[in-house]
Amino acid sequence: MAPIDDTEPVDRHAASPTGTTPSARPPADGAAAAPSGRMPRWLPRAMVLALALIATFQLGSWAFHQLTGLLINILIAFFLALAIEPAVSWMAARGMRRGLATFLVFLGLAIFVAGFITLLGSMLAGQIIKMIEGFPDYLDALINWVNQKFHTDLRRVDVQEGLLHSDWLRKYAQTSAAGVLDVSTQVLGGLFQLLTVALFSFYFAADGPRLRRALCSVLPPARQAEVLRAWELAVDKTGGYLYSRGLMALISGIAHYILLQALGVPYAPVLGVWVGLVSQFIPTIGTYLAGALPMLIAFTVDPWYAVWVLIFVVVYQQFENYMLQPKLTSKTVDIHPAVAFGSVIAGTALLGAVGALIAIPAVATLQAFLGAYVKRYDVTDDPRVHGYRSRGPSGPGMLTRIRRPRESRAEAEEPS
């Protein structure tokens, strides 16, 4: 009989009397299960989801940077539509269609801006022509002063020849010729942005009720009331800011026109309009920009006239800041001057000149909206509220404690 080889594999199916595979014996307690070597089922899906999120973020960031200019134009158009909303609603309430009312408002604004630019351009062109015509006289006066002070023998012909044949003039002409294309591109881009803003603001103003209905249709009733309230506050504050600034610009323009006309400065009406608009609608530095041009024109007439214009600009600015502006803006954009200044700086840092223009009405709207929901309490009757320092719980103040011993010694030294 042949011996049995113990190394020969045993057929487990044959060894089982029932023909079924016996179940694997569970591992002993404390023994770690052997790794299967397979990737978890959730890992591929997690990797795909992470890659999809990264791609979506990158695509959204790229699209946002590409559309930043368009978004800023839409923001400007929205605030412009809010500013003209009271006038459009007033005409629409009297039976006029909103589209026609919006068109008439825009037509009036376009006529005013075109007239102002035409008058300002003619004034600047006249001054430039006058300076070019008087340039030889200015050059002769300068040459005579140099000859007298430094004992030289300069002539105007030699100076003109040196300027015409100088390398500096040649390089400047080449640079200017190369920059003409850039200037033309910027002008065309500015016109396109202006057209974009005008188109969006027209649709925002003409279709204002439809836009509000579309926005409220996706919100529950409680949220609809809050959105409509915020919209109403934005219209009131933006329109109030624009109209109060327009009234102050009118008063400022008339006041400066009277001064310039009394001094005999040319182009007094245009300079008055310039001072009124620039000083009111360009925050922070508008007053200085507005007063620079009248001072320059007045200096060409008489240097002392420029000093009088400077004094009047400073005095009028104080009158406007402390008397006129608080009365006109108390019911429209009643915000603290420090808050207004900070909002202008923040708006400039975020959106440049556009942010500076819309910062004040935006902050006024936010302040009014928050004021309607923030609960306020009665202020306690405490001297510290009114700016007075209260005495401490230890008794009288230091000066009183010092005076009392002196008074006691003086009474003791008095003869009885």
Side-chain angles (χ1 to χ4, degrees):
M1 192 174 174
I4 299 174
D5 190 1
D6 296 334
T7 61
E8 189 178 9
V10 180
D11 191 357
R12 295 182 178 181
H13 292 278
S16 177
T18 58
T20 59
T21 304
S23 59
R25 183 177 298 176
D29 295 341
S36 61
R38 294 182 180 180
M39 182 183 298
R41 295 181 178 179
W42 56 268
L43 185 58
R45 288 179 293 180
M47 294 176 61
V48 172
L49 181 60
L51 293 176
L53 290 177
I54 294 174
T56 304
F57 176 78
Q58 294 292 336
L59 181 61
S61 178
W62 172 80
F64 178 78
H65 286 293
Q66 295 294 325
L67 298 176
T68 301
L70 178 61
L71 295 177
I72 293 176
N73 291 335
I74 293 176
L75 182 63
I76 299 173
F78 180 71
F79 272 93
L80 181 59
L82 292 179
I84 66 175
E85 176 68 23
V88 174
S89 298
W90 181 82
M91 288 187 287
R94 282 154 180 78
M96 186 179 297
R97 297 179 58 185
R98 289 187 64 90
L100 180 59
T102 306
F103 174 76
L104 292 178
V105 173
F106 270 91
L107 181 62
L109 289 175
I111 292 174
F112 175 77
V113 173
F116 175 71
I117 293 176
T118 302
L119 292 176
L120 185 63
S122 63
M123 180 194 69
L124 293 177
Q127 291 297 319
I128 292 173
I129 292 174
K130 184 178 179 180
M131 291 176 61
I132 292 175
E133 291 177 350
F135 180 74
D137 297 333
Y138 297 147
L139 187 59
D140 289 337
L142 179 62
I143 291 174
N144 292 332
W145 181 81
V146 171
N147 291 332
Q148 292 177 1
K149 293 294 181 180
F150 300 99
H151 305 288
T152 58
D153 190 15
L154 297 176
R155 296 182 302 173
R156 188 179 70 182
V157 177
D158 298 336
V159 174
Q160 290 178 348
E161 289 292 333
L163 289 175
L164 291 176
H165 295 86
S166 62
D167 295 335
W168 172 82
L169 184 62
R170 178 175 55 82
K171 293 180 180 179
Y172 178 76
Q174 292 176 355
T175 305
S176 301
V180 170
L181 182 61
D182 297 336
V183 172
S184 302
T185 304
Q186 292 178 0
V187 169
L188 292 177
L191 291 176
F192 181 75
Q193 290 182 356
L194 182 62
L195 180 61
T196 303
V197 170
L199 184 62
F200 275 105
S201 59
F202 179 83
Y203 282 117
F204 284 155
D207 293 340
R210 185 184 305 176
L211 181 62
R212 286 191 287 269
R213 287 195 300 269
L215 183 60
C216 291
S217 63
V218 296
L219 298 174
R223 298 296 182 184
Q224 292 179 17
E226 294 179 1
V227 168
L228 293 176
R229 179 177 176 79
W231 195 295
E232 182 105 15
L233 288 173
V235 170
D236 292 340
K237 297 301 179 180
T238 307
Y241 172 76
L242 179 65
Y243 297 141
S244 61
R245 287 290 174 176
L247 183 57
M248 286 193 294
L250 178 62
I251 297 173
S252 176
I254 293 174
H256 287 84
Y257 163 73
I258 293 174
L259 172 69
L260 297 174
Q261 190 69 27
L263 294 177
V265 178
Y267 306 103
V270 183
L271 291 175
V273 176
W274 164 266
V275 173
L277 292 178
V278 174
S279 63
Q280 300 303 323
F281 289 99
I282 296 182
T284 308
I285 62 172
T287 302
Y288 308 103
L289 294 177
L293 184 59
M295 287 175 56
L296 180 62
I297 303 299
F299 185 83
T300 60
V301 179
D302 190 344
W304 284 105
Y305 288 175
V307 177
W308 284 111
V309 172
L310 176 61
I311 294 174
F312 183 81
V313 168
V314 173
V315 172
Y316 181 82
Q317 185 65 27
Q318 302 305 315
F319 164 75
E320 180 183 280
N321 290 338
Y322 293 101
M323 296 186 64
L324 185 61
Q325 183 174 352
K327 293 183 179 297
L328 293 179
T329 60
S330 60
K331 296 182 179 180
T332 54
V333 284
D334 189 13
I335 59 178
H336 195 273
V339 177
F341 183 70
S343 63
V344 169
I345 294 178
T348 305
L350 292 175
L351 298 176
V354 176
L357 291 175
I358 66 177
I360 294 180
V363 171
T365 302
L366 181 62
Q367 176 180 328
F369 185 72
L370 293 178
Y373 293 95
V374 175
K375 186 177 181 180
R376 297 182 181 273
Y377 301 91
D378 293 334
V379 180
T380 180
D381 189 9
D382 193 298
R384 290 170 292 185
V385 175
H386 305 286
Y388 302 104
R389 295 185 61 186
S390 63
R391 294 177 179 176
S394 59
M398 182 180 294
L399 292 178
T400 305
R401 293 196 301 268
I402 293 174
R403 287 173 182 172
R404 284 181 179 178
R406 291 180 179 177
E407 293 175 356
S408 301
R409 287 196 299 268
E411 291 177 355
E413 292 175 359
E414 289 182 358
S416 57

mmCIF file of all heavy atoms in Angstrom, residues 167-210:
data_model
loop_
_atom_site.group_PDB
_atom_site.id
_atom_site.type_symbol
_atom_site.label_atom_id
_atom_site.label_comp_id
_atom_site.label_asym_id
_atom_site.label_seq_id
_atom_site.Cartn_x
_atom_site.Cartn_y
_atom_site.Cartn_z
ATOM 1 N N ASP A 167 16.461 117.997 -29.239
ATOM 2 C CA ASP A 167 16.110 116.581 -29.186
ATOM 3 C C ASP A 167 14.892 116.335 -28.307
ATOM 4 O O ASP A 167 14.117 115.401 -28.548
ATOM 5 C CB ASP A 167 17.299 115.766 -28.661
ATOM 6 C CG ASP A 167 18.478 115.809 -29.603
ATOM 7 O OD1 ASP A 167 18.250 116.039 -30.813
ATOM 8 O OD2 ASP A 167 19.615 115.611 -29.132
ATOM 9 N N TRP A 168 14.739 117.165 -27.274
ATOM 10 C CA TRP A 168 13.595 116.995 -26.369
ATOM 11 C C TRP A 168 12.276 117.180 -27.104
ATOM 12 O O TRP A 168 11.347 116.398 -26.935
ATOM 13 C CB TRP A 168 13.686 118.014 -25.231
ATOM 14 C CG TRP A 168 12.456 118.035 -24.371
ATOM 15 C CD1 TRP A 168 12.156 117.187 -23.357
ATOM 16 C CD2 TRP A 168 11.355 118.944 -24.472
ATOM 17 N NE1 TRP A 168 10.928 117.499 -22.809
ATOM 18 C CE2 TRP A 168 10.419 118.581 -23.477
ATOM 19 C CE3 TRP A 168 11.074 120.024 -25.301
ATOM 20 C CZ2 TRP A 168 9.222 119.263 -23.295
ATOM 21 C CZ3 TRP A 168 9.885 120.709 -25.124
ATOM 22 C CH2 TRP A 168 8.975 120.325 -24.128
ATOM 23 N N LEU A 169 12.207 118.218 -27.972
ATOM 24 C CA LEU A 169 10.977 118.463 -28.718
ATOM 25 C C LEU A 169 10.716 117.337 -29.725
ATOM 26 O O LEU A 169 9.575 116.921 -29.931
ATOM 27 C CB LEU A 169 11.061 119.811 -29.423
ATOM 28 C CG LEU A 169 9.821 120.267 -30.175
ATOM 29 C CD1 LEU A 169 8.646 120.437 -29.210
ATOM 30 C CD2 LEU A 169 10.078 121.583 -30.915
ATOM 31 N N ARG A 170 11.787 116.848 -30.343
ATOM 32 C CA ARG A 170 11.619 115.768 -31.313
ATOM 33 C C ARG A 170 11.108 114.501 -30.626
ATOM 34 O O ARG A 170 10.195 113.824 -31.117
ATOM 35 C CB ARG A 170 12.945 115.504 -32.017
ATOM 36 C CG ARG A 170 12.904 114.356 -33.016
ATOM 37 C CD ARG A 170 14.229 114.257 -33.740
ATOM 38 N NE ARG A 170 15.332 114.126 -32.805
ATOM 39 C CZ ARG A 170 15.697 112.984 -32.237
ATOM 40 N NH1 ARG A 170 15.031 111.854 -32.522
ATOM 41 N NH2 ARG A 170 16.710 112.927 -31.399
ATOM 42 N N LYS A 171 11.688 114.153 -29.469
ATOM 43 C CA LYS A 171 11.232 112.969 -28.744
ATOM 44 C C LYS A 171 9.807 113.134 -28.228
ATOM 45 O O LYS A 171 9.009 112.189 -28.264
ATOM 46 C CB LYS A 171 12.177 112.686 -27.578
ATOM 47 C CG LYS A 171 13.566 112.252 -28.017
ATOM 48 C CD LYS A 171 14.452 111.994 -26.810
ATOM 49 C CE LYS A 171 15.845 111.564 -27.248
ATOM 50 N NZ LYS A 171 16.739 111.339 -26.075
ATOM 51 N N TYR A 172 9.486 114.354 -27.809
ATOM 52 C CA TYR A 172 8.119 114.587 -27.322
ATOM 53 C C TYR A 172 7.108 114.451 -28.447
ATOM 54 O O TYR A 172 6.019 113.896 -28.263
ATOM 55 C CB TYR A 172 8.033 115.982 -26.706
ATOM 56 C CG TYR A 172 6.659 116.342 -26.204
ATOM 57 C CD1 TYR A 172 6.181 115.814 -25.007
ATOM 58 C CD2 TYR A 172 5.834 117.191 -26.934
ATOM 59 C CE1 TYR A 172 4.918 116.137 -24.537
ATOM 60 C CE2 TYR A 172 4.566 117.516 -26.480
ATOM 61 C CZ TYR A 172 4.116 116.990 -25.283
ATOM 62 O OH TYR A 172 2.863 117.302 -24.830
ATOM 63 N N ALA A 173 7.456 114.928 -29.650
ATOM 64 C CA ALA A 173 6.555 114.798 -30.801
ATOM 65 C C ALA A 173 6.373 113.335 -31.183
ATOM 66 O O ALA A 173 5.255 112.895 -31.499
ATOM 67 C CB ALA A 173 7.095 115.602 -31.977
ATOM 68 N N GLN A 174 7.455 112.553 -31.137
ATOM 69 C CA GLN A 174 7.328 111.137 -31.459
ATOM 70 C C GLN A 174 6.470 110.407 -30.429
ATOM 71 O O GLN A 174 5.627 109.576 -30.773
ATOM 72 C CB GLN A 174 8.719 110.507 -31.527
ATOM 73 C CG GLN A 174 9.564 110.995 -32.698
ATOM 74 C CD GLN A 174 10.964 110.418 -32.683
ATOM 75 O OE1 GLN A 174 11.348 109.721 -31.741
ATOM 76 N NE2 GLN A 174 11.740 110.714 -33.713
ATOM 77 N N THR A 175 6.666 110.726 -29.158
ATOM 78 C CA THR A 175 5.861 110.087 -28.110
ATOM 79 C C THR A 175 4.393 110.462 -28.229
ATOM 80 O O THR A 175 3.500 109.623 -28.063
ATOM 81 C CB THR A 175 6.396 110.490 -26.730
ATOM 82 O OG1 THR A 175 7.790 110.163 -26.657
ATOM 83 C CG2 THR A 175 5.651 109.765 -25.626
ATOM 84 N N SER A 176 4.134 111.727 -28.535
ATOM 85 C CA SER A 176 2.746 112.170 -28.684
ATOM 86 C C SER A 176 2.089 111.499 -29.879
ATOM 87 O O SER A 176 0.915 111.098 -29.814
ATOM 88 C CB SER A 176 2.697 113.694 -28.834
ATOM 89 O OG SER A 176 3.277 114.330 -27.712
ATOM 90 N N ALA A 177 2.830 111.356 -30.984
ATOM 91 C CA ALA A 177 2.262 110.696 -32.160
ATOM 92 C C ALA A 177 1.963 109.231 -31.878
ATOM 93 O O ALA A 177 0.959 108.684 -32.344
ATOM 94 C CB ALA A 177 3.226 110.821 -33.337
ATOM 95 N N ALA A 178 2.843 108.582 -31.098
ATOM 96 C CA ALA A 178 2.597 107.182 -30.763
ATOM 97 C C ALA A 178 1.434 107.022 -29.790
ATOM 98 O O ALA A 178 0.759 105.995 -29.775
ATOM 99 C CB ALA A 178 3.854 106.560 -30.164
ATOM 100 N N GLY A 179 1.181 108.052 -28.972
ATOM 101 C CA GLY A 179 0.099 107.958 -27.998
ATOM 102 C C GLY A 179 -1.256 108.357 -28.532
ATOM 103 O O GLY A 179 -2.252 108.241 -27.806
ATOM 104 N N VAL A 180 -1.313 108.832 -29.774
ATOM 105 C CA VAL A 180 -2.611 109.223 -30.347
ATOM 106 C C VAL A 180 -3.529 108.014 -30.458
ATOM 107 O O VAL A 180 -4.733 108.089 -30.164
ATOM 108 C CB VAL A 180 -2.404 109.908 -31.713
ATOM 109 C CG1 VAL A 180 -3.736 110.094 -32.436
ATOM 110 C CG2 VAL A 180 -1.720 111.245 -31.528
ATOM 111 N N LEU A 181 -2.971 106.870 -30.859
ATOM 112 C CA LEU A 181 -3.786 105.660 -31.001
ATOM 113 C C LEU A 181 -4.316 105.206 -29.654
ATOM 114 O O LEU A 181 -5.479 104.801 -29.540
ATOM 115 C CB LEU A 181 -2.954 104.562 -31.654
ATOM 116 C CG LEU A 181 -3.689 103.229 -31.917
ATOM 117 C CD1 LEU A 181 -4.866 103.461 -32.857
ATOM 118 C CD2 LEU A 181 -2.725 102.208 -32.500
ATOM 119 N N ASP A 182 -3.484 105.295 -28.612
ATOM 120 C CA ASP A 182 -3.948 104.908 -27.274
ATOM 121 C C ASP A 182 -5.066 105.817 -26.791
ATOM 122 O O ASP A 182 -6.049 105.359 -26.199
ATOM 123 C CB ASP A 182 -2.779 104.927 -26.293
ATOM 124 C CG ASP A 182 -1.710 103.909 -26.646
ATOM 125 O OD1 ASP A 182 -2.050 102.915 -27.324
ATOM 126 O OD2 ASP A 182 -0.544 104.108 -26.253
ATOM 127 N N VAL A 183 -4.921 107.112 -27.024
ATOM 128 C CA VAL A 183 -5.961 108.053 -26.609
ATOM 129 C C VAL A 183 -7.262 107.771 -27.356
ATOM 130 O O VAL A 183 -8.359 107.798 -26.773
ATOM 131 C CB VAL A 183 -5.491 109.498 -26.834
ATOM 132 C CG1 VAL A 183 -6.625 110.484 -26.583
ATOM 133 C CG2 VAL A 183 -4.307 109.816 -25.934
ATOM 134 N N SER A 184 -7.155 107.488 -28.650
ATOM 135 C CA SER A 184 -8.362 107.189 -29.429
ATOM 136 C C SER A 184 -9.042 105.921 -28.915
ATOM 137 O O SER A 184 -10.276 105.863 -28.805
ATOM 138 C CB SER A 184 -7.999 107.021 -30.906
ATOM 139 O OG SER A 184 -7.374 108.194 -31.408
ATOM 140 N N THR A 185 -8.240 104.915 -28.569
ATOM 141 C CA THR A 185 -8.809 103.681 -28.029
ATOM 142 C C THR A 185 -9.511 103.928 -26.701
ATOM 143 O O THR A 185 -10.606 103.403 -26.442
ATOM 144 C CB THR A 185 -7.709 102.630 -27.856
ATOM 145 O OG1 THR A 185 -7.048 102.431 -29.112
ATOM 146 C CG2 THR A 185 -8.286 101.315 -27.384
ATOM 147 N N GLN A 186 -8.899 104.752 -25.834
ATOM 148 C CA GLN A 186 -9.515 105.053 -24.549
ATOM 149 C C GLN A 186 -10.802 105.848 -24.723
ATOM 150 O O GLN A 186 -11.782 105.626 -23.999
ATOM 151 C CB GLN A 186 -8.528 105.830 -23.675
ATOM 152 C CG GLN A 186 -7.336 105.008 -23.232
ATOM 153 C CD GLN A 186 -6.354 105.812 -22.401
ATOM 154 O OE1 GLN A 186 -6.560 106.996 -22.159
ATOM 155 N NE2 GLN A 186 -5.270 105.173 -21.974
ATOM 156 N N VAL A 187 -10.811 106.760 -25.698
ATOM 157 C CA VAL A 187 -12.031 107.542 -25.936
ATOM 158 C C VAL A 187 -13.160 106.646 -26.428
ATOM 159 O O VAL A 187 -14.307 106.735 -25.962
ATOM 160 C CB VAL A 187 -11.748 108.666 -26.945
ATOM 161 C CG1 VAL A 187 -13.046 109.328 -27.408
ATOM 162 C CG2 VAL A 187 -10.833 109.709 -26.320
ATOM 163 N N LEU A 188 -12.847 105.738 -27.350
ATOM 164 C CA LEU A 188 -13.870 104.813 -27.840
ATOM 165 C C LEU A 188 -14.357 103.887 -26.733
ATOM 166 O O LEU A 188 -15.560 103.608 -26.622
ATOM 167 C CB LEU A 188 -13.305 103.998 -29.010
ATOM 168 C CG LEU A 188 -13.023 104.778 -30.300
ATOM 169 C CD1 LEU A 188 -12.400 103.862 -31.349
ATOM 170 C CD2 LEU A 188 -14.309 105.406 -30.848
ATOM 171 N N GLY A 189 -13.418 103.416 -25.889
ATOM 172 C CA GLY A 189 -13.828 102.581 -24.765
ATOM 173 C C GLY A 189 -14.710 103.336 -23.773
ATOM 174 O O GLY A 189 -15.687 102.788 -23.253
ATOM 175 N N GLY A 190 -14.395 104.603 -23.527
ATOM 176 C CA GLY A 190 -15.234 105.411 -22.647
ATOM 177 C C GLY A 190 -16.623 105.641 -23.214
ATOM 178 O O GLY A 190 -17.621 105.588 -22.475
ATOM 179 N N LEU A 191 -16.712 105.881 -24.495
ATOM 180 C CA LEU A 191 -18.027 106.052 -25.128
ATOM 181 C C LEU A 191 -18.851 104.768 -25.062
ATOM 182 O O LEU A 191 -20.066 104.807 -24.826
ATOM 183 C CB LEU A 191 -17.851 106.498 -26.586
ATOM 184 C CG LEU A 191 -17.299 107.909 -26.798
ATOM 185 C CD1 LEU A 191 -17.090 108.184 -28.282
ATOM 186 C CD2 LEU A 191 -18.232 108.958 -26.189
ATOM 187 N N PHE A 192 -18.184 103.631 -25.251
ATOM 188 C CA PHE A 192 -18.903 102.354 -25.162
ATOM 189 C C PHE A 192 -19.401 102.111 -23.737
ATOM 190 O O PHE A 192 -20.534 101.645 -23.538
ATOM 191 C CB PHE A 192 -17.980 101.213 -25.616
ATOM 192 C CG PHE A 192 -18.639 99.867 -25.570
ATOM 193 C CD1 PHE A 192 -19.566 99.493 -26.525
ATOM 194 C CD2 PHE A 192 -18.325 98.970 -24.549
ATOM 195 C CE1 PHE A 192 -20.177 98.247 -26.476
ATOM 196 C CE2 PHE A 192 -18.929 97.733 -24.491
ATOM 197 C CZ PHE A 192 -19.855 97.371 -25.461
ATOM 198 N N GLN A 193 -18.578 102.414 -22.725
ATOM 199 C CA GLN A 193 -19.015 102.263 -21.342
ATOM 200 C C GLN A 193 -20.175 103.207 -21.033
ATOM 201 O O GLN A 193 -21.127 102.825 -20.334
ATOM 202 C CB GLN A 193 -17.851 102.534 -20.397
ATOM 203 C CG GLN A 193 -16.783 101.457 -20.416
ATOM 204 C CD GLN A 193 -15.672 101.744 -19.418
ATOM 205 O OE1 GLN A 193 -15.663 102.781 -18.763
ATOM 206 N NE2 GLN A 193 -14.732 100.817 -19.300
ATOM 207 N N LEU A 194 -20.111 104.441 -21.536
ATOM 208 C CA LEU A 194 -21.202 105.384 -21.313
ATOM 209 C C LEU A 194 -22.493 104.886 -21.939
ATOM 210 O O LEU A 194 -23.581 104.984 -21.342
ATOM 211 C CB LEU A 194 -20.814 106.750 -21.896
ATOM 212 C CG LEU A 194 -21.821 107.891 -21.706
ATOM 213 C CD1 LEU A 194 -22.035 108.168 -20.230
ATOM 214 C CD2 LEU A 194 -21.354 109.140 -22.433
ATOM 215 N N LEU A 195 -22.401 104.332 -23.140
ATOM 216 C CA LEU A 195 -23.583 103.781 -23.794
ATOM 217 C C LEU A 195 -24.132 102.583 -23.016
ATOM 218 O O LEU A 195 -25.358 102.435 -22.871
ATOM 219 C CB LEU A 195 -23.237 103.373 -25.224
ATOM 220 C CG LEU A 195 -24.375 102.760 -26.066
ATOM 221 C CD1 LEU A 195 -25.509 103.767 -26.222
ATOM 222 C CD2 LEU A 195 -23.863 102.314 -27.424
ATOM 223 N N THR A 196 -23.245 101.745 -22.492
ATOM 224 C CA THR A 196 -23.682 100.592 -21.701
ATOM 225 C C THR A 196 -24.411 101.028 -20.436
ATOM 226 O O THR A 196 -25.481 100.503 -20.100
ATOM 227 C CB THR A 196 -22.476 99.718 -21.334
ATOM 228 O OG1 THR A 196 -21.800 99.315 -22.537
ATOM 229 C CG2 THR A 196 -22.913 98.481 -20.570
ATOM 230 N N VAL A 197 -23.847 102.003 -19.737
ATOM 231 C CA VAL A 197 -24.476 102.507 -18.510
ATOM 232 C C VAL A 197 -25.832 103.131 -18.823
ATOM 233 O O VAL A 197 -26.824 102.905 -18.106
ATOM 234 C CB VAL A 197 -23.543 103.511 -17.816
ATOM 235 C CG1 VAL A 197 -24.262 104.236 -16.685
ATOM 236 C CG2 VAL A 197 -22.311 102.810 -17.285
ATOM 237 N N ALA A 198 -25.897 103.926 -19.890
ATOM 238 C CA ALA A 198 -27.160 104.571 -20.255
ATOM 239 C C ALA A 198 -28.227 103.543 -20.617
ATOM 240 O O ALA A 198 -29.401 103.672 -20.227
ATOM 241 C CB ALA A 198 -26.932 105.533 -21.415
ATOM 242 N N LEU A 199 -27.840 102.495 -21.345
ATOM 243 C CA LEU A 199 -28.804 101.484 -21.755
ATOM 244 C C LEU A 199 -29.352 100.714 -20.549
ATOM 245 O O LEU A 199 -30.575 100.542 -20.397
ATOM 246 C CB LEU A 199 -28.155 100.523 -22.747
ATOM 247 C CG LEU A 199 -29.056 99.440 -23.362
ATOM 248 C CD1 LEU A 199 -30.177 100.087 -24.169
ATOM 249 C CD2 LEU A 199 -28.247 98.495 -24.236
ATOM 250 N N PHE A 200 -28.457 100.273 -19.659
ATOM 251 C CA PHE A 200 -28.909 99.525 -18.484
ATOM 252 C C PHE A 200 -29.740 100.407 -17.551
ATOM 253 O O PHE A 200 -30.752 99.952 -17.011
ATOM 254 C CB PHE A 200 -27.713 98.942 -17.735
ATOM 255 C CG PHE A 200 -27.244 97.615 -18.270
ATOM 256 C CD1 PHE A 200 -26.082 97.533 -19.018
ATOM 257 C CD2 PHE A 200 -27.966 96.462 -18.022
ATOM 258 C CE1 PHE A 200 -25.647 96.322 -19.510
ATOM 259 C CE2 PHE A 200 -27.541 95.241 -18.513
ATOM 260 C CZ PHE A 200 -26.375 95.170 -19.265
ATOM 261 N N SER A 201 -29.310 101.624 -17.335
ATOM 262 C CA SER A 201 -30.076 102.503 -16.449
ATOM 263 C C SER A 201 -31.442 102.834 -17.031
ATOM 264 O O SER A 201 -32.427 102.952 -16.283
ATOM 265 C CB SER A 201 -29.284 103.791 -16.189
ATOM 266 O OG SER A 201 -29.009 104.463 -17.401
ATOM 267 N N PHE A 202 -31.551 102.941 -18.349
ATOM 268 C CA PHE A 202 -32.845 103.182 -18.972
ATOM 269 C C PHE A 202 -33.794 102.005 -18.721
ATOM 270 O O PHE A 202 -34.967 102.205 -18.346
ATOM 271 C CB PHE A 202 -32.666 103.412 -20.470
ATOM 272 C CG PHE A 202 -33.955 103.642 -21.208
ATOM 273 C CD1 PHE A 202 -34.531 104.902 -21.248
ATOM 274 C CD2 PHE A 202 -34.612 102.593 -21.844
ATOM 275 C CE1 PHE A 202 -35.727 105.118 -21.923
ATOM 276 C CE2 PHE A 202 -35.803 102.801 -22.516
ATOM 277 C CZ PHE A 202 -36.356 104.069 -22.562
ATOM 278 N N TYR A 203 -33.290 100.793 -18.896
ATOM 279 C CA TYR A 203 -34.152 99.630 -18.671
ATOM 280 C C TYR A 203 -34.475 99.456 -17.186
ATOM 281 O O TYR A 203 -35.590 99.054 -16.837
ATOM 282 C CB TYR A 203 -33.485 98.374 -19.226
ATOM 283 C CG TYR A 203 -33.606 98.249 -20.726
ATOM 284 C CD1 TYR A 203 -32.484 98.265 -21.551
ATOM 285 C CD2 TYR A 203 -34.856 98.134 -21.326
ATOM 286 C CE1 TYR A 203 -32.601 98.168 -22.927
ATOM 287 C CE2 TYR A 203 -34.987 98.025 -22.705
ATOM 288 C CZ TYR A 203 -33.856 98.048 -23.492
ATOM 289 O OH TYR A 203 -33.970 97.954 -24.857
ATOM 290 N N PHE A 204 -33.519 99.749 -16.302
ATOM 291 C CA PHE A 204 -33.800 99.652 -14.874
ATOM 292 C C PHE A 204 -34.881 100.638 -14.451
ATOM 293 O O PHE A 204 -35.743 100.317 -13.617
ATOM 294 C CB PHE A 204 -32.521 99.924 -14.068
ATOM 295 C CG PHE A 204 -31.563 98.773 -14.068
ATOM 296 C CD1 PHE A 204 -30.206 98.986 -13.866
ATOM 297 C CD2 PHE A 204 -32.006 97.483 -14.264
ATOM 298 C CE1 PHE A 204 -29.314 97.927 -13.865
ATOM 299 C CE2 PHE A 204 -31.128 96.412 -14.265
ATOM 300 C CZ PHE A 204 -29.780 96.641 -14.070
ATOM 301 N N ALA A 205 -34.854 101.849 -15.012
ATOM 302 C CA ALA A 205 -35.853 102.858 -14.636
ATOM 303 C C ALA A 205 -37.194 102.617 -15.319
ATOM 304 O O ALA A 205 -38.255 102.755 -14.695
ATOM 305 C CB ALA A 205 -35.332 104.258 -14.980
ATOM 306 N N ALA A 206 -37.157 102.253 -16.604
ATOM 307 C CA ALA A 206 -38.406 102.067 -17.338
ATOM 308 C C ALA A 206 -39.142 100.801 -16.892
ATOM 309 O O ALA A 206 -40.374 100.782 -16.809
ATOM 310 C CB ALA A 206 -38.121 102.003 -18.839
ATOM 311 N N ASP A 207 -38.403 99.747 -16.584
ATOM 312 C CA ASP A 207 -39.003 98.480 -16.171
ATOM 313 C C ASP A 207 -38.821 98.237 -14.673
ATOM 314 O O ASP A 207 -38.679 97.078 -14.246
ATOM 315 C CB ASP A 207 -38.396 97.316 -16.955
ATOM 316 C CG ASP A 207 -38.763 97.369 -18.429
ATOM 317 O OD1 ASP A 207 -39.755 98.038 -18.752
ATOM 318 O OD2 ASP A 207 -38.049 96.749 -19.235
ATOM 319 N N GLY A 208 -38.810 99.304 -13.885
ATOM 320 C CA GLY A 208 -38.632 99.158 -12.448
ATOM 321 C C GLY A 208 -39.694 98.291 -11.789
ATOM 322 O O GLY A 208 -39.364 97.358 -11.039
ATOM 323 N N PRO A 209 -40.995 98.549 -12.030
ATOM 324 C CA PRO A 209 -42.021 97.681 -11.415
ATOM 325 C C PRO A 209 -41.916 96.225 -11.848
ATOM 326 O O PRO A 209 -42.081 95.310 -11.023
ATOM 327 C CB PRO A 209 -43.331 98.318 -11.884
ATOM 328 C CG PRO A 209 -42.989 99.748 -12.155
ATOM 329 C CD PRO A 209 -41.597 99.713 -12.689
ATOM 330 N N ARG A 210 -41.634 95.993 -13.112
ATOM 331 C CA ARG A 210 -41.494 94.610 -13.577
ATOM 332 C C ARG A 210 -40.295 93.928 -12.932
ATOM 333 O O ARG A 210 -40.357 92.747 -12.570
ATOM 334 C CB ARG A 210 -41.350 94.595 -15.099
ATOM 335 C CG ARG A 210 -41.318 93.202 -15.701
ATOM 336 C CD ARG A 210 -41.077 93.259 -17.194
ATOM 337 N NE ARG A 210 -42.068 94.105 -17.873
ATOM 338 C CZ ARG A 210 -42.032 94.384 -19.170
ATOM 339 N NH1 ARG A 210 -41.041 93.908 -19.916
ATOM 340 N NH2 ARG A 210 -42.963 95.154 -19.708
#
